[in-house]
Amino acid sequence: MVEIGLNFDRFFDSMESLADTISESLQSQVTIEDENHHVIGYSSHQFESDPARISTIIGKRVPDSVIIGLRKKGIMRQLENTPHPIRISGVMEVGLGPRLAMCIKHQKEVLGYIWVVDAGNLAEGYAESVVEKAAQIAARYLLKQRGWKTKQTRAQEDFFWKLLTSHYGTEQDIKRDAELDNIMLPPGYFIGVFEPERAVDDHFLLKFRQTAEGYSGASLVFMTTEHNRIIVLFSFLFSIEGTQALSSFMRLLIEQMNKGEGCRISGGCSLYYGDYLSAAVAYMEAMSIVEIKRLLPFQARELLLYEDMGFWAHIPAIMEQKRSRGRRSPLLYPLKEHDRVHKTDFVKTVAVYLTFNGNLKESAAFLHIHTNTLMYRLNRIAEITGKNLKDTHYRFSIYMDILTEETRQLNQWFVEG
């Protein structure tokens, strides 16, 4: 092997310093990634660069288009099956110029990758020796980090569950344990709960974390799972006013996971809190949104933030009260009786009309009838009940009765619709 000097015969406390040392030895740009193509170190020296490297450094991860392009050409397979550095011609359709690259491995396990920009100045033999030596150092570092991370992850998860279950008596107790476990607590936070319609496995969790952390300004502090449910505590690196940024983060996260994993996800987010004794309350707030969306998926489909919870927060208690009393709605009785005797759909008509906020066009389209037919039905409903749906008190009361007494039938109507 070619002698590479003493630059690598020392302790490296980060992959940034290792990337800089490789860069100094080869006078070229260097990027070090973990096994999931997240950037864990890149050289700080300024040279000209290609689009792939610029996008990787800005996004802290290799763009999917680059990874897909390399896999299509068989380059990733060659890289992962070769124990030495390889020279790669440019894949210009994805913005990647020539590279000298090596897969960082421990036995047969992939730990990461080293990429060196090849501008034609990498001396044959010497450059390969430098990268191979660097890969050995990176492997030791990543294995050590993995062991530390496992221990740290367990400590963080235990600490998070203590917060969620009101284990602590004072803020001082919380801060003491956080310091003992080297946990950095942001000054304020939200708690989010997410329920996907599929099993939550390691792949799903990894994708969820990557998607959440890819949102500019969001910081995922804790993440855990329970009963196929993902629970997170997160904050923003910037001060937010109103709910726009929070709502945007929640919607984007759910939409991207829906699209990427091909499954529907229900989610809810708590109010903002600055004290960690309130974490259990925040957890219950987020959970209550998910529970309402499970009970009434169509009606509560737009609900994401506890700040917008309103009367939905009282639905479970009303349902329980109605079950315990065994009494049915006198407001619904005349319509249900008319439907039973005359085979009409007046209860469904009211349910659809109120769900769509009295919008005649949307309601008629959902019911597959003409707006004139809908108007006729609404007039007949007023005649039968002696009540007008324009009356706020009656409108709200009968809608609440439908939501809490006709829940199963309601969900069937809207699933069919």
Side-chain angles (χ1 to χ4, degrees):
M1 182 178 287
V2 179
E3 177 62 44
I4 63 171
L6 300 175
N7 282 348
F8 292 87
D9 296 330
R10 63 184 180 85
F11 172 73
F12 289 89
D13 61 353
S14 72
M15 290 295 94
E16 296 283 353
S17 60
L18 178 61
D20 276 339
T21 302
I22 302 169
S23 180
E24 288 170 6
S25 298
L26 301 181
Q27 288 300 295
S28 191
Q29 295 170 323
V30 178
T31 307
I32 305 175
E33 305 159 10
D34 65 14
E35 74 274 22
N36 297 309
H37 301 285
H38 286 91
V39 175
I40 55 175
Y42 63 92
S43 55
S44 57
H45 298 286
Q46 299 300 312
F47 304 99
E48 290 187 11
S49 195
D50 54 38
R53 186 170 191 270
I54 293 170
S55 298
T56 297
I57 291 172
I58 291 173
K60 298 296 184 183
R61 185 180 185 274
V62 181
D64 289 338
S65 59
V66 176
I67 297 169
I68 292 168
L70 291 171
R71 290 211 176 274
K72 279 184 178 179
K73 290 184 174 291
I75 292 171
M76 292 306 297
R77 182 181 300 161
Q78 180 190 1
L79 185 60
E80 290 163 0
N81 291 328
T82 305
H84 305 293
I86 62 172
R87 303 243 176 182
I88 299 168
S89 301
V91 186
M92 298 317 296
E93 56 264 39
V94 295
L96 185 84
R99 295 285 195 274
L100 174 64
M102 184 170 179
C103 184
I104 305 165
K105 299 177 79 174
H106 174 66
Q107 297 175 352
K108 293 184 178 181
E109 183 183 5
V110 174
L111 301 176
Y113 307 87
I114 296 177
W115 301 84
V116 182
V117 173
D118 186 356
N121 63 325
L122 301 181
E124 187 122 10
Y126 175 74
E128 279 81 357
S129 297
V130 168
V131 172
E132 197 161 347
K133 179 67 174 175
Q136 294 170 8
I137 295 168
R140 291 196 295 271
Y141 178 91
L142 288 168
L143 283 170
K144 184 178 178 182
Q145 285 294 104
R146 180 171 291 187
W148 177 84
K149 263 191 171 181
T150 302
K151 181 181 177 182
Q152 183 74 354
T153 300
R154 282 198 300 267
Q156 287 188 346
E157 192 162 358
D158 182 56
F159 178 79
F160 188 26
W161 273 112
K162 286 180 179 178
L163 292 178
L164 296 177
T165 54
S166 301
H167 171 83
Y168 294 104
T170 66
E171 286 289 311
Q172 289 72 24
D173 293 337
I174 294 171
K175 290 177 181 178
R176 180 202 63 225
D177 275 12
E179 288 176 6
L180 287 173
D181 290 325
N182 295 312
I183 296 170
M184 297 290 292
L185 296 175
Y189 63 92
F190 301 90
I191 285 181
V193 174
F194 301 86
E195 275 191 359
E197 291 181 349
R198 55 154 285 184
V200 176
D201 53 18
D202 289 341
H203 165 80
F204 193 90
L205 285 174
L206 176 63
K207 196 69 178 177
F208 184 91
R209 180 178 285 278
Q210 290 173 352
T211 305
E213 291 178 342
Y215 186 91
S216 178
S219 174
L220 203 61
V221 184
F222 300 114
M223 182 171 75
T224 189
T225 60
E226 182 190 37
H227 305 311
N228 215 52
R229 184 184 301 136
I230 301 172
I231 308 157
V232 298
L233 185 150
F234 64 95
S235 64
F236 289 95
L237 302 177
F238 50 83
S239 177
I240 62 170
E241 293 183 6
T243 60
Q244 186 174 351
L246 179 60
S247 180
S248 174
F249 169 72
M250 291 289 293
R251 290 187 189 283
L252 191 63
L253 177 55
I254 289 171
E255 286 170 8
Q256 289 186 352
M257 288 300 298
N258 284 347
K259 184 178 179 181
E261 296 304 307
C263 73
R264 295 181 58 164
I265 300 176
S266 177
C269 182
S270 73
L271 298 172
Y272 175 85
Y273 288 94
D275 66 291
Y276 284 84
L277 283 175
S278 297
V281 174
Y283 175 42
M284 294 309 297
E285 289 175 352
M287 272 298 303
S288 66
I289 296 173
V290 173
E291 287 172 357
I292 285 296
K293 296 179 87 157
R294 195 187 305 124
L295 281 171
L296 296 159
F298 189 87
Q299 279 69 24
R301 66 194 181 282
E302 297 297 327
L303 186 63
L304 280 176
L305 310 183
Y306 193 79
E307 188 162 321
D308 300 325
M309 193 68 160
F311 78 90
W312 295 108
H314 306 289
I315 294 287
I318 294 171
M319 283 181 168
E320 185 58 36
Q321 186 184 62
K322 284 176 178 282
R323 273 195 293 266
S324 64
R325 290 184 177 180
R327 187 182 176 194
R328 308 299 286 177
S329 167
L331 296 178
L332 284 174
Y333 178 78
L335 292 179
K336 291 181 73 172
E337 191 64 15
H338 191 280
D339 284 348
R340 186 184 66 80
V341 174
H342 300 282
K343 309 301 179 189
T344 51
D345 280 326
F346 287 162
V347 174
K348 180 179 180 180
T349 300
V350 173
V352 171
Y353 178 71
L354 295 180
T355 293
F356 286 105
N357 300 311
N359 186 300
L360 290 171
K361 188 175 180 181
E362 289 183 4
S363 301
F366 188 89
L367 291 166
H368 304 292
I369 59 176
H370 195 275
T371 50
N372 289 341
T373 305
L374 176 58
M375 286 295 297
Y376 169 77
R377 287 190 187 181
L378 294 175
N379 289 331
R380 283 289 294 128
I381 288 166
E383 291 172 5
I384 293 164
T385 61
K387 304 284 187 180
N388 193 315
L389 284 169
K390 291 182 179 179
D391 178 86
T392 301
H393 179 267
Y394 174 68
R395 184 190 189 108
F396 179 80
S397 299
I398 196 168
Y399 188 49
M400 187 67 75
D401 284 347
I402 291 172
L403 292 176
T404 55
E405 293 186 19
E406 304 299 318
T407 312
R408 183 178 298 177
Q409 183 66 70
L410 191 67
N411 288 333
Q412 288 178 355
W413 289 332
F414 282 92
V415 166
E416 291 169 1

